[in-house]
Amino acid sequence: MAKIELNLSLNRVEGDLEIAVELEDGVVSQARTVGTLYRGFEQIMLGRAPRDGLVITPRVCGICGTAHLYSAVLALEQAWQLPVPPNAVRIRNLCLIAEGIQNDLRQTFLFFTPDFCNPRYIDRPWFAELMDAFEPFRGSVYRQTLALSRKAVEIVAQFGGQWPHSSYMLPGGVTTPPDLRRIIACRAVLDEIQRWYEQTVIGAGLDDWLALDSADAYFSWLETPAHAASALGLLSRSARGLGLQRMAAGTPHMLSYGAWCDPEQPQDRLVPGGFFDGDSGQIAPLDQRMINEHVRHSWFKPYPGGLHPSNGETIPDFQPNSDRYTWAKAPRYGDRAVQTGPLAELLIGGDALIESLHALEGGNAWLRQFARVRRIAYELVCARRMLDELSVDFSQPHIFNPGKSAEVDGEGFGLIMAARGALGHWVKIKDGAIARYQIVTPTAWNASPRDSNGLPGHWEQSLVGVAVQDPEDPIEIGHIIRSHDPCLVCTVHMLDTGKKRHFAP
């Protein structure tokens, strides 16, 4: 039996990542995800004033700084028991959606589809058409995505002054009220994006697209000239032609915190969250007390079992040449390894088409990416709803500015769905300063290492069983990892550099 070990160095926005796989007769038999850079934001926060989190934590990521800001402010508002005016929630949602649209477009057409331009696929019937659309820096869809995704975050700039790394969300509201000029400017951005999404990405109107509610209906739709020639149609034909609908199921369990706070009831979500039990097929209400993090295989000071983030520790303890192999922790929901992202968000949220496709083929690399493109439609609809509701009465407050006396000691957490999935911040305040701060990112869930029980994380499970045709060009691994929108995609697009190889007998 021929055994080969591959270490594939991959970068990420908030750190570096390495994928180590062991091939037996060309099939992945073991996989490890290795976070090679210590982040340390949790340590940076200790001893600081609570509001410092609103400036520092959005720097965790250059793509989803709005999401981190949103989680951070929710954690403080819960700790201080602060009310938030509905218009502030609408502005927060609108900006989070804008950031999500930006991310979903870039991840799909700048990072995922370029893998299909690999010369290995030159004999495929769709290759020439695909190159015209997706070839990096030349393809029509690639270039249009650059322009439209940049346009999307102009909405954040309308209320936050800049993107990324804005700090316009404050405990009790936002810094900038809505007015007619901002509403018109945001509507113009959404109009342009929706027009392009309908004409180029899905080849149909938004209402018809959202009305699709079954796998049979979609596969019939895929045969129509308009959708077949669209960007998503081309992506689906290519991905399914390569068999991605049969790859990378990973853990069957999924987690969503629910999308977008309800302006009238901020503790609720407009799209419900929960835990999808892959064994029973049932969805249970979210219980954040079930979340815990393990460090048995991580380079952190050891502790037994898992700790809830409110009691979590992030004390670096580098131990090379041991069975610890990453700077990432292993989050678990109870004792389950879970996956998170748009597929989890729409499946748990009740999208009928995603439910039908998942029931037919299970979780897989194609469906994961398909769900990301479909989520854009929901983002556009919800963004328009936020603008319509903001337009009703500009005189409504945009902040309930709390007095200093409200900033008491306590604990809180903020859970949202970022573009990449479930994001949580937990804060503990003592003697007026941050005594504990923990962040669990979407990629931490998906790219987690083994836990205290030896259970591999979702990516590690997704890669086992994958046949790698050419170890010199393991593009199959690229398809799988990029279908999860890992945080490394902003800096690395290809797999052909920085590779170390070890051949074992």
Side-chain angles (χ1 to χ4, degrees), residues 5-9 18-21 34 498-502:
E5 293 181 359
L6 298 179
N7 294 322
L8 310 169
S9 297
E18 186 173 282
I19 304 294
V21 298
V34 185
K499 184 172 59 180
K500 295 176 288 186
R501 300 185 57 187
H502 171 71

Side-chain angles (χ1 to χ4, degrees), residues 255 257 286-293 307-309 331-334 415 426 440 445:
L255 184 70
Y257 295 156
L286 175 70
D287 183 354
Q288 69 88 29
R289 295 171 299 180
M290 299 279 287
I291 297 170
N292 60 97
E293 292 186 293
L307 289 177
H308 185 272
R332 293 292 182 265
Y333 190 78
L415 307 179
W426 285 259
V440 183
W445 286 103

Side-chain angles (χ1 to χ4, degrees), residues 57 66 82 105 149 155 175 195 224 305 315 317 329 408 410 466:
T57 63
T66 300
L82 298 178
L105 291 175
S149 60
I155 291 175
T175 58
R195 188 161 51 245
T224 62
I315 304 174
D317 184 22
K329 296 181 181 178
V408 298
V466 171

Side-chain angles (χ1 to χ4, degrees), residues 49-209:
R51 286 177 182 258
D52 283 2
L54 306 174
V55 177
I56 294 173
T57 63
R59 270 77 178 173
V60 168
C61 180
I63 290 293
C64 51
T66 300
H68 281 282
L69 176 61
Y70 207 156
S71 292
V73 78
L74 287 178
L76 288 180
E77 285 168 347
Q78 187 184 70
W80 294 341
Q81 296 294 297
L82 298 178
V84 183
N87 271 0
V89 177
R90 293 179 180 114
I91 291 170
R92 293 175 180 181
N93 287 344
L94 178 64
C95 293
L96 183 64
I97 290 169
E99 187 175 83
I101 292 173
Q102 166 268 152
N103 180 88
D104 288 346
L105 291 175
R106 289 182 181 178
Q107 192 278 332
T108 301
F109 299 120
L110 303 188
F111 305 127
F112 182 77
T113 55
D115 280 341
F116 295 99
C117 301
N118 190 295
R120 185 193 301 180
Y121 304 138
I122 195 169
D123 293 331
R124 298 281 177 165
W126 38 258
F127 189 76
E129 184 183 1
L130 186 140
M131 291 292 286
D132 287 343
F134 301 145
E135 184 180 9
F137 304 106
R138 294 182 177 177
S140 59
V141 175
Y142 186 100
R143 288 184 287 108
Q144 291 163 12
T145 298
L146 285 171
L148 270 297
S149 60
R150 184 179 64 182
K151 196 79 177 174
V153 292
E154 289 180 5
I155 291 175
V156 182
Q158 289 291 335
F159 292 96
Q162 67 177 49
W163 182 91
H165 307 323
S166 307
S167 295
Y168 56 97
M169 299 182 197
L170 298 175
V174 296
T175 58
T176 306
D179 61 24
L180 186 59
R181 183 190 63 78
R182 294 189 179 94
I183 296 299
I184 291 174
C186 292
R187 287 192 190 281
V189 170
L190 288 178
D191 287 344
E192 186 174 353
I193 293 173
Q194 181 170 332
R195 188 161 51 245
W196 180 75
Y197 180 77
E198 292 177 328
Q199 295 176 352
T200 302
V201 177
I202 58 174
L206 206 60
D207 292 341
D208 292 339
W209 168 236

Side-chain angles (χ1 to χ4, degrees), residues 227-260:
H227 184 63
S230 70
L232 180 59
L234 182 55
L235 184 159
S236 289
R237 288 189 288 124
S238 308
R240 295 185 67 81
L242 295 172
L244 266 61
Q245 74 277 17
R246 297 186 294 273
M247 295 173 61
T251 174
H253 309 301
M254 301 190 193
L255 184 70
S256 170
Y257 295 156
W260 311 313

Side-chain angles (χ1 to χ4, degrees), residues 420-433:
R420 296 181 175 99
L423 170 66
H425 285 215
W426 285 259
V427 64
K428 180 178 291 183
I429 304 166
K430 183 179 181 182
D431 298 330

Side-chain angles (χ1 to χ4, degrees), residues 216-366:
D216 288 343
Y218 177 70
F219 292 133
S220 295
W221 225 50
L222 187 55
E223 300 299 321
T224 62
H227 184 63
S230 70
L232 180 59
L234 182 55
L235 184 159
S236 289
R237 288 189 288 124
S238 308
R240 295 185 67 81
L242 295 172
L244 266 61
Q245 74 277 17
R246 297 186 294 273
M247 295 173 61
T251 174
H253 309 301
M254 301 190 193
L255 184 70
S256 170
Y257 295 156
W260 311 313
C261 295
D262 185 329
E264 302 296 337
Q265 300 289 338
Q267 70 277 13
D268 296 333
R269 297 296 182 266
L270 297 177
V271 178
F275 168 68
F276 176 80
D277 187 324
D279 295 329
S280 67
Q282 301 298 309
I283 297 174
L286 175 70
D287 183 354
Q288 69 88 29
R289 295 171 299 180
M290 299 279 287
I291 297 170
N292 60 97
E293 292 186 293
H294 297 239
V295 296
R296 170 60 185 83
H297 292 277
S298 308
W299 290 315
F300 292 102
K301 181 180 178 181
Y303 54 76
L307 289 177
H308 185 272
S310 63
N311 297 313
E313 298 177 356
T314 308
I315 304 174
D317 184 22
F318 184 50
Q319 300 179 40
N321 304 316
S322 69
D323 62 353
R324 301 173 186 272
Y325 58 92
T326 179
W327 286 110
K329 296 181 181 178
R332 293 292 182 265
Y333 190 78
D335 59 356
R336 311 289 185 88
V338 306
Q339 59 174 301
T340 188
L343 174 57
E345 180 178 320
L346 296 189
L347 180 66
I348 295 169
D351 179 83
L353 176 56
I354 295 298
E355 288 176 342
S356 179
L357 290 166
H358 182 266
L360 181 68
E361 298 177 329
N364 58 74
W366 167 73

